[in-house]
Amino acid sequence: MASFLSSSSPASSSADLNAKREAIMNGVRQEIALANAQELMNKANERCFAKCVTKPGDTLSNAEQTCLSRCLDRYLEAFNIVSRTYTQRLARERTSDIQ
Amino acid sequence: MEKFDEATQKELASFLEKEQAQAKLHSSIHHFTTLCWDKCITGTPSTRFSRGEESCLANCVERFLDTSLFMVKRIELQREQAQFSGVGA
């Protein structure tokens, strides 16, 4: 049935290695991107829970949900502001080091 | 199992080094974001940052880095002074 799966024709070895190299690099990139997204979500979760759910009730109230979505948006914005400021500073320090 | 040739091994090594540096940078950004969020965002989140919040976030990063440089200088100065007084004693 799944004969097409096992019919791996021996491809030329250089193309094979090339594909392997690409696969390794993409795997690393993906893992890092995933870890990054998880970190961001965890931190936003913690911060926004602290800010928006001050007295946990039976369910998340509408007001809490509104607060949470705004908070998440603002957290991502804060991340971008910090990222921009930091990279600009690094670039500045680097050029002043050269001089 | 086939092995990568030397050039490819080197390429992968430098690729990993770059990715590691990038990851380190990102982890600092995560750290600064939480630090400065806690300092600057004191009210309930609204649909946009106020002017003050936005500049506070940027200033927070800059001043944190200044602080870190300041501390290093301070320690160096103290160590120098300790050395001089050590010679004098």
Side-chain angles (χ1 to χ4, degrees):
Chain A
M1 248 202 315
S3 62
F4 64 95
L5 280 178
S6 53
S7 71
S8 57
S9 57
S12 78
S13 78
S14 87
D16 223 36
L17 277 177
N18 218 5
K20 214 158 100 190
R21 182 181 125 259
E22 279 298 311
I24 289 174
M25 284 163 92
N26 282 334
V28 169
R29 281 195 199 103
Q30 253 170 42
E31 253 176 73
I32 290 180
L34 183 67
N36 242 325
Q38 273 173 341
E39 176 100 24
L40 193 59
M41 280 317 294
N42 281 339
K43 299 219 147 132
N45 212 355
E46 255 175 50
R47 259 58 198 182
C48 293
F49 178 76
K51 250 196 197 321
C52 297
V53 189
T54 45
K55 263 184 80 187
D58 290 340
T59 57
L60 279 181
S61 71
N62 280 336
E64 283 167 340
Q65 288 183 33
T66 310
C67 178
L68 286 171
S69 33
R70 285 176 178 175
C71 180
L72 182 58
D73 288 348
R74 293 293 78 66
Y75 196 85
L76 298 180
E77 200 182 337
F79 182 85
N80 287 330
I81 293 171
V82 166
S83 169
R84 204 184 323 125
T85 311
Y86 186 40
T87 44
Q88 277 168 0
R89 169 78 177 246
L90 286 180
R92 229 187 311 135
E93 304 261 337
R94 212 166 289 143
T95 49
S96 73
D97 271 355
I98 291 165
Q99 281 157 7
Chain B
M1 200 167 117
E2 281 178 282
K3 276 193 172 173
F4 289 124
D5 59 28
E6 209 169 311
T8 312
Q9 283 184 25
K10 268 197 187 134
E11 191 196 341
L12 282 174
S14 85
F15 165 78
L16 282 181
E17 226 167 83
K18 260 186 223 150
E19 290 295 323
Q20 251 160 359
Q22 189 77 14
K24 222 167 144 187
L25 178 80
H26 265 123
S27 125
S28 301
I29 296 173
H30 282 298
H31 176 226
F32 296 154
T33 305
T34 53
L35 192 83
C36 296
W37 173 271
D38 291 343
K39 247 196 210 311
C40 298
I41 316 300
T42 48
T44 315
S46 95
T47 48
R48 46 168 303 167
F49 280 138
S50 67
R51 202 98 189 78
E53 285 172 327
E54 212 174 313
S55 58
C56 179
L57 285 169
N59 285 338
C60 171
V61 175
E62 297 275 7
R63 296 299 82 71
F64 180 83
L65 297 170
D66 286 348
T67 302
S68 148
L69 292 175
F70 178 84
M71 293 302 191
V72 172
K73 264 192 208 138
R74 190 80 206 128
I75 294 283
E76 271 172 8
L77 195 74
Q78 276 171 356
R79 213 181 40 195
E80 260 171 47
Q81 279 167 352
Q83 256 171 6
F84 280 130
S85 66
V87 171

